Amino acid sequence: MNYIPNTERERQRMLSEIGVESIEDLFSDISPALWLNRELNLPAGMSEYEVIKHVQGLAALNHGADDYVCFLGGGSYDHFIPRAVFEILGRSEFYTAYTPYQAEVSQGILQSIFEYQSLMCELTDMEISNASMYDGATAMAEAATMSVRQTRRGQIMVSKAVHPEYRAVLRTYAHALGLTIKEIDFQEGQTDLDAIRDHITNETACLILQNPNFLGYIEPMAAASEIAHRAGALFVACVDPVSLGILSPPGEYGADIAVGEGQGLGNPLNFGGPYLGFLTCRNEFIRNMPGRVVGETTDNLGRRGYVLTLQAREQHIRRERATSNICSNEALCALAATVYLSLLGKSGIKEIGRLCVQKSHYAAKAIDSISGFSIKYHAPFFKEFVVSCPMSPSSVVTRLKEHGILAGLDLGSIFSEMEELQDGLMIAVTEKRTKDEIDRLAEELRALALEDEQGARHKSIQGREKGDQA
């Protein structure tokens, strides 16, 4: 049976009713050059058992972070997740729950969101949190448009050291809203504060910095916040929540809005998503904050309850007055972060941060001692750093993958316009990496450098011999 069980006669009747002759006429706006013009290449039908074996075979082709020693970062990190997080998430009342449209009858979901908001406010030292967003990129873009509404200014200033994909999403938002974006250069791994001072104006709605930035280095957030406020702009801090156990939270250096990617808080890498965007702010900006806010209250008998307090979305108010068109929060991912933070507590999140710093600095020192490799920038870093390679970073990534190691990100492919990063390999070291794994990474890089040096020497000898013969 076809998936859509219409007979040919019924299809012709429907086409006639809407005034077209064929189904292809419905797609006439699409260029014929893009048409497939052949049948789909689908295998013959299978039994249930055959389908299971086939899908298992396809799944076996995938290899995740657990199959390698992972030093990949760049916004998604291989942090340890306690099994209790998955056990609690897997409970049917959480796993199957959808967005609370009849909010007040969903007290369990509302309480979990309220707990999430409370934890994120405490972690970022801010006053208000929404109920979560798609990911770090959309959270940052929404913070920018929130700043525009709040200040009634039309320019957004953002550091080039902010995640490139976050900036791409920001450009998409800005294009649609007619906003201008001013990107600020970075030097030695940190945003150029003098460039901010030179370019910030009374038209700047907000200044956005990431801490640690995309390259892993710690930014001068307090100084940047002061510059933004002196110009009457808001300061948006895009932060790694895992770093906040040991780094100053955004509220401490005067950030007006804090955003970031919450994947590191109990959400696995999972081939790129779904992830968790968080957004917190100061209380005075709550009316311009996108998304939902759940509040705690008491009923007329004095019993504690939870209510959907604020949701200035277009389905509830006039579209032009809505603060966002994001309709669904990431409730299950937010719950994972809630359980993760509850299990770790204040001491646990500090310990994770301390381990990330110690292990990444141990790795940086070991790699810096290898002939040919060196640490590119010497600014303070949290768990990620950039290495200059004696050969192309892409070849390092390929060669070490053959030895079961995901060595890092090839920055040349990400910052193609920046000459100084063409030899850059960005390496992330989380608390999961052991001393043996870090030593193994260093040994493989040392072997690669030696092999490269021997190859260069061999070519040099061959060149001299050819010269002698000539």
Side-chain angles (χ1 to χ4, degrees):
M1 185 177 77
N2 291 330
Y3 179 70
I4 301 175
N6 306 126
T7 65
E8 183 59 29
R9 183 177 176 187
E10 288 169 331
R11 278 195 287 272
Q12 288 301 325
R13 187 177 168 190
M14 287 188 284
L15 291 170
S16 174
E17 191 69 27
I18 60 177
V20 295
E21 293 186 359
S22 67
I23 290 176
E24 285 71 21
D25 290 341
L26 299 175
F27 303 106
S28 59
D29 290 338
I30 300 174
S31 169
L34 299 175
W35 290 23
L36 191 59
N37 288 320
R38 62 170 173 78
E39 293 294 321
L40 292 174
N41 184 21
L42 296 175
M46 300 181 194
S47 68
E48 180 182 350
Y49 176 71
E50 288 171 330
V51 169
I52 291 171
K53 294 293 288 182
H54 179 68
V55 173
Q56 285 176 337
L58 293 176
L61 298 175
N62 291 323
H63 298 285
D66 290 338
D67 301 309
Y68 295 89
V69 180
C70 181
F71 292 95
L72 282 172
S76 302
Y77 300 98
D78 185 28
H79 287 292
F80 174 71
I81 304 173
R83 285 304 309 171
V85 173
F86 299 112
E87 292 299 322
I88 294 172
L89 286 187
R91 290 179 63 93
S92 59
E93 59 268 42
F94 292 129
Y95 209 68
T96 62
Y98 187 53
T99 189
Y101 279 118
Q102 293 178 307
E104 279 62 50
V105 300
S106 306
Q107 285 291 297
I109 288 294
L110 289 183
Q111 182 177 353
S112 73
I113 294 174
F114 181 81
E115 301 286 356
Y116 163 79
Q117 293 172 180
S118 303
L119 287 166
M120 295 313 297
C121 284
E122 190 169 354
L123 190 64
T124 57
D125 192 26
M126 302 296 278
E127 294 168 321
I128 300 290
S129 167
N130 70 10
S132 78
M133 311 193 84
Y134 289 149
D135 52 26
T138 52
M140 193 189 85
E142 291 283 348
T145 59
M146 181 179 163
S147 301
V148 169
R149 290 191 297 273
Q150 186 68 33
T151 62
R152 299 182 184 278
R153 297 178 175 186
Q155 185 198 70
I156 298 160
M157 183 171 283
V158 60
S159 168
K160 287 183 181 176
V162 170
H163 197 305
E165 292 174 352
Y166 291 18
R167 286 185 285 126
V169 172
L170 177 63
R171 285 193 291 273
T172 302
Y173 272 61
H175 173 75
L177 296 172
L179 306 174
T180 60
I181 294 178
K182 180 67 183 175
E183 294 198 340
I184 300 298
D185 290 331
F186 59 85
Q187 294 180 341
E188 295 299 314
Q190 292 177 307
T191 303
D192 185 350
L193 291 183
D194 288 335
I196 295 175
R197 291 190 189 93
D198 291 343
H199 291 94
I200 199 165
T201 72
N202 58 9
E203 287 299 314
T204 306
C206 66
L207 168 65
I208 305 173
L209 258 65
Q210 187 174 13
N211 193 50
N213 61 34
F214 177 70
L215 301 172
Y217 296 93
I218 297 170
E219 295 276 20
M221 301 298 274
S225 176
E226 186 181 344
I227 296 170
H229 290 150
R230 203 179 300 144
L234 301 188
F235 183 58
V236 177
C238 182
V239 294
D240 178 351
V242 177
S243 74
L244 298 181
I246 59 171
L247 297 183
S248 296
E252 200 168 297
Y253 45 76
D256 299 288
I257 307 170
V259 295
E261 174 54 63
Q263 175 267 323
L265 303 177
N267 288 283
L269 290 170
N270 202 29
F271 296 95
Y275 281 173
L276 166 68
F278 66 86
L279 190 155
T280 61
C281 67
R282 293 201 276 128
N283 191 42
E284 63 192 277
F285 303 137
I286 188 171
R287 288 287 172 187
N288 276 313
M289 185 172 70
R292 303 164 167 150
V293 176
V294 172
E296 185 184 73
T297 187
T298 54
D299 65 11
N300 58 359
L301 297 176
R303 295 174 301 189
R304 185 170 62 174
Y306 299 92
V307 292
L308 209 50
T309 306
L310 188 73
Q311 46 179 347
R313 298 158 56 197
E314 77 279 7
Q315 67 197 83
H316 300 106
I317 62 175
R318 291 202 303 272
R319 186 179 184 87
E320 63 272 20
R321 297 193 62 187
T323 54
S324 172
N325 66 350
I326 287 185
C327 298
S328 293
N329 69 322
E330 301 275 317
L332 198 65
C333 297
L335 181 62
T338 307
V339 177
Y340 177 86
L341 287 170
S342 301
L343 289 171
L344 262 63
K346 289 183 179 178
S347 59
I349 196 75
K350 283 182 182 176
E351 181 65 8
I352 298 293
R354 190 181 63 79
L355 288 171
C356 288
V357 169
Q358 288 181 346
K359 294 188 176 191
S360 60
H361 282 249
Y362 174 80
K365 189 176 179 182
I367 295 169
D368 200 36
S369 69
I370 301 171
S371 176
F373 287 91
S374 62
I375 301 303
K376 183 172 282 293
Y377 304 124
H378 295 280
F381 63 88
F382 172 59
K383 64 183 174 190
E384 224 163 353
F385 53 93
V386 181
V387 171
S388 292
C389 302
M391 67 287 292
S392 75
S394 62
S395 66
V396 175
V397 171
T398 302
R399 291 292 301 276
L400 264 65
K401 189 178 176 185
E402 294 170 1
H403 296 271
I405 296 174
L406 300 175
L409 285 181
D410 169 17
L411 290 179
S413 64
I414 299 171
F415 292 92
S416 57
E417 78 286 2
M418 295 188 67
E419 184 64 31
E420 71 175 73
L421 287 176
Q422 298 312 298
D423 66 344
L425 179 69
M426 191 164 73
I427 295 175
V429 186
T430 69
E431 80 284 0
K432 279 181 70 174
R433 298 288 69 86
T434 65
K435 180 177 180 298
D436 286 346
E437 289 172 338
I438 297 170
D439 290 343
R440 191 176 147 211
L441 169 69
E443 286 169 13
E444 294 293 349
L445 291 177
R446 186 173 288 109
L448 207 57
L450 184 62
E451 189 179 309
D452 185 63
E453 187 180 325
Q454 289 172 341
R457 193 180 303 136
H458 182 66
K459 283 184 180 176
S460 175
I461 293 171
Q462 281 185 324
R464 283 202 301 272
E465 288 175 349
K466 284 183 180 177
D468 292 343
Q469 288 172 1

